[in-house]
Amino acid sequence: MVDMCRLVFTFAFIFVLILLQGLFGSNYGGIIDPSALEMFVDELPDMPRIKGFDIVNGVRVTKSLDIGMFHKTWKFHRDLPPTPVFAYGLSQETATVPGPTIETLQGIHTYITWRNYLPSKHILPWDPTIPTAMPHSSTGIPTVVHLHGGIDEPQSDGHANAWFTAGFRDRGPSWTKEKYHYDNMQHPGTLWYHDHAMGLTRVNILAGLFGAYIIRQPSVELTLQMPYEEEFDRPLLMFDRNFNKDGSIFMNSTGNNPSIHPQWRPEYFADVIIVNGKAWPYMIVRRRRYRFRIINTSNARFFSFYFDNGLEFIHIGSDSAYNNKPIRLNKILLAPSEIAVVLIDFTESNSSSATLCNDAPYPFPSGDQVNKRNSKIMKFIITAGHERDTTRLPTTLIKYPPPNPTSASITRYIVMYEYTSNTDEPTHMYINAKPFEAPVTETPKVGATEIWTVINLTEDTHPLHIHLGLILALNQTKVVGVDEFKSCMMELNDATKCKVDKYVRGETIQVPAHEKGWKNVYKMMPGCETTILVRFSYIHSNESYPFDATAEPGYIYHCHVSDISFNMFVFWIIRSLPARS
């Protein structure tokens, strides 16, 4: 009788599968094959631009903005059904993925009230077994906005515990106020804003909550005579996604350690490459110079960019700062959250089109090789005939006051560990063997310059991002006897007691020329010690901040592989900086 019941159940199950296949196709329940989506059929959008300042009687003045987070649908490709997303915008109708480009002026303050209009339930699966923002009412989606690269008061920095739900009904323990204040007093450059909520950053970014933010300083930048007008100065926000057959974003809902974390995975990789909200778009360009602000907004994917026709990049800025001088490159490697500002001179192309390509393994640097889909980014279609171009390529750009490494007030050891299960799958990652909740150990003084020695004992490259402070890479050295050193560190958690100098004596890796300037992210290579100078003041003037940087809730630093950092705590708070020095 039992066998007969099993047989009936089996036939019923097969019948249901056949019925579902007839209704929804043979891949019911699976993702869309990226090869079914034709490349270069959608034109590259320029995201809406919002001014973060007003002009009154010819004078530029402070402006207040209300920017919302909305649930809507977005067309990522001509042949994809509309995709449910979370999007930033002034209204639901105008909200976009990525969000609008916010353009501000150096020295003119911008105020933004970030409003959460999201539904009670998320559109993507998330794992409550990891430390996560949990609304008191158990409904609503926590969000908080961090301006990446911004030098702002701690109350407006987007602390991971400063989250809030729709209507500010529920608020995290570090929440302080509704209206954020961005001073825009720092040097001109490219930044980006994105969700930063504890444990939900990975899914909120995947859902679409990110956008570009530009600080301009015409009095300085226009003298360089580089492309500056909107038509020729374009942000390019790049990321990867996969999609279900109904157009929704695919995210694996089974964890790599399901008995520990049912859903959480340490990295998200996908094969559909998206730029400014369109999969493998094309852009028609004229034979002249363009400026592109390339922002890697992927959760975990590195991009190694190059052109299929040998066209060069003229690298002028890294993250939020300019280089001292332009640097010509055939390739540019960008980690998640890194920014490269480049000029491309299309008069130098010997063909009528140029495809931007990628050959970075994933995870980087020792993961899978790229395939036919994720090795292509976008296509530039170059119009015939030359035109008069009044821009130029200056020999020098912006020179900031030179730092003095010998003036560093303190040297800190920052060691990254990865912990695994008995199946050798990652379960979490700590810095200096401490979780997020541990007492604060980094308390730099305002105006201080410090040397941080970062040792990456994991197998992957980790982009380290420090809020408030800026980074200047000095050198990288390979660690010998990694396993032995790691074993000692996991027992003693003290680099000095583990005789770090005994192990940091391998090959020296030179800092690439285009990464020798000030940055807010730096790639920490596996099995290496990276020495960075960290500055806690304005780099263009060496002046202190106009706000109280010692206030709560403080600042954080972390790895910017967002699948790891905001779930497994690759950071902790610098809760209160000592009084100004």
Side-chain angles (χ1 to χ4, degrees), residues 137-244:
S137 61
S138 299
T139 61
I141 300 170
T143 62
V144 64
V145 180
H146 168 56
L147 178 57
H148 179 108
I151 299 177
D152 297 297
E153 61 177 11
Q155 302 92 330
S156 300
D157 189 58
H159 188 286
N161 271 333
W163 54 265
F164 56 94
T165 60
F168 300 99
R169 283 191 294 272
D170 280 341
R171 301 183 292 271
S174 297
W175 186 89
T176 55
K177 59 182 180 179
E178 296 182 8
K179 182 182 287 188
Y180 276 21
H181 178 196
Y182 301 113
D183 288 271
N184 301 324
M185 296 296 292
Q186 64 199 76
H187 51 283
T190 307
L191 297 77
W192 67 296
Y193 58 94
H194 61 80
D195 184 80
H196 211 269
M198 175 64 67
L200 291 167
T201 296
R202 58 196 299 262
V203 291
N204 287 348
I205 287 179
L206 281 173
L209 293 179
F210 56 92
Y213 187 106
I214 298 172
I215 299 177
R216 295 186 183 275
Q217 189 175 7
S219 61
V220 171
E221 295 178 288
L222 288 178
T223 61
L224 300 174
Q225 294 182 271
M226 295 187 296
Y228 200 73
E229 301 171 22
E230 285 189 8
E231 181 181 357
F232 308 112
D233 182 354
R234 303 283 292 271
L236 300 178
L237 286 80
M238 302 183 177
F239 51 102
D240 55 340
R241 299 288 186 274
N242 278 332
F243 299 92
N244 296 306

Side-chain angles (χ1 to χ4, degrees), residues 251-318:
M251 182 178 180
N252 197 316
S253 59
T254 303
N256 61 323
N257 284 299
S259 63
I260 301 172
H261 301 303
Q263 186 275 323
W264 177 81
R265 286 174 173 260
E267 292 151 322
Y268 177 93
F269 295 111
D271 291 319
V272 179
I273 306 301
I274 300 169
V275 186
N276 289 6
K278 294 296 179 183
W280 303 294
Y282 69 88
M283 177 182 178
I284 299 174
V285 296
R286 291 145 63 175
R287 286 190 177 269
R288 53 156 296 147
R289 293 187 192 92
Y290 284 73
R291 182 197 306 231
F292 294 104
R293 303 169 187 261
I294 305 173
I295 309 175
N296 182 356
T297 62
S298 298
N299 280 41
R301 181 180 291 279
F302 284 62
F303 288 108
S304 178
F305 298 113
Y306 67 96
F307 280 107
D308 66 343
N309 68 344
L311 199 59
E312 287 186 318
F313 304 96
I314 305 170
H315 193 281
I316 62 170
S318 191

Side-chain angles (χ1 to χ4, degrees), residues 12-79:
F13 180 71
I14 293 172
F15 174 76
V16 170
L17 284 180
I18 293 172
L19 179 62
L20 290 173
Q21 288 179 356
L23 289 173
F24 301 104
S26 58
N27 287 329
Y28 171 76
I31 64 174
I32 289 179
D33 182 354
S35 63
L37 301 175
E38 187 178 349
M39 292 182 176
F40 316 131
V41 297
D42 290 293
E43 188 167 7
L44 176 81
D46 189 12
M47 311 323 292
R49 304 205 183 199
I50 298 175
K51 302 296 184 186
F53 58 93
D54 275 326
I55 299 178
V56 178
N57 298 324
V59 178
R60 298 176 176 91
V61 298
T62 292
K63 184 176 184 178
S64 292
L65 297 169
D66 266 45
I67 298 179
M69 304 163 229
F70 301 94
H71 182 204
K72 62 180 300 181
T73 59
W74 182 259
K75 283 280 286 183
F76 285 101
H77 188 275
R78 180 193 66 187
D79 300 327

